[in-house]
Amino acid sequence: MRSLSRRALLRGGALGVAAVAVAGCAAEEPEPLRAEPPDPETVLLRQLIAGKEQTVALYASTASAKLAPFGKRHEAHLAELRRRLPPEATPAPASPGAPSPSPSPSGSPGAKASVRSLQRLEQRAAALRPRQLDGASPALAQLIASIGACEAAHAVALSRLL
């Protein structure tokens, strides 16, 4: 009989430990996973890239030989911005209902841009660049300033085509 009571004790003890473990697990809710906040420079790069993609598309929509050099410079800016984006931060494709980062100068997406609308776009972009320098690394700040200078020069050159 002694072995029976010992077996019963062991079985009862094992069941008790299991019940305590299950109760302990059920009582604790797991902490929600917290995503690290996005790197501000990566966020800025994504914004700059989105704006440049729109600008490149608008210049391409003109199909003008006179405006092609402007578009090529924006393509070079875009390539350099993309090069600086960390590999794990590659931009996800925009969802169909997502708002665009900046409105199309012609008012509707896909519409052909006019020289005047491109000039205004360049002016707005150049004016925005100094505000984007705050908190950027020195290398990125230098690139943004250079892009802004190019956009300002574009605005002046486009005004001569009007």
Side-chain angles (χ1 to χ4, degrees):
M1 232 150 153
R2 194 170 186 196
S3 67
L4 182 61
S5 61
R6 185 174 176 197
R7 190 179 304 155
L9 277 174
L10 289 175
R11 193 178 311 150
L15 288 174
V17 169
V20 168
V22 169
C25 289
E28 291 181 30
E29 287 191 31
E31 282 191 37
L33 295 177
R34 292 188 183 127
E36 289 195 27
D39 174 48
E41 197 155 291
T42 300
V43 171
L44 176 58
L45 278 166
R46 285 181 178 164
Q47 291 170 348
L48 291 164
I49 288 168
K52 282 294 169 183
E53 287 172 341
Q54 285 187 327
T55 302
V56 166
L58 287 169
Y59 273 99
S61 76
T62 66
S64 166
K66 281 184 180 179
L67 298 177
F70 295 89
K72 293 289 183 203
R73 284 188 285 275
H74 284 291
E75 288 173 10
H77 299 161
L78 181 58
E80 184 58 26
L81 290 166
R82 284 181 176 153
R83 187 184 73 74
R84 291 171 185 259
L85 194 64
E88 68 277 357
T90 349
S95 60
S100 62
S102 61
S104 164
S106 57
S108 63
K112 189 173 175 181
S114 68
V115 172
R116 181 162 310 284
S117 66
L118 289 169
Q119 183 215 18
R120 280 184 253 162
L121 173 72
E122 297 280 11
Q123 286 173 330
R124 284 191 309 269
L128 178 63
R129 301 301 173 228
R131 292 189 301 266
Q132 293 172 324
L133 299 176
D134 189 34
S137 67
L140 182 57
Q142 184 178 12
L143 176 61
I144 292 169
S146 296
I147 289 172
C150 187
E151 291 162 337
H154 284 180
V156 171
L158 288 170
S159 70
R160 293 181 186 141
L161 296 177
L162 295 174

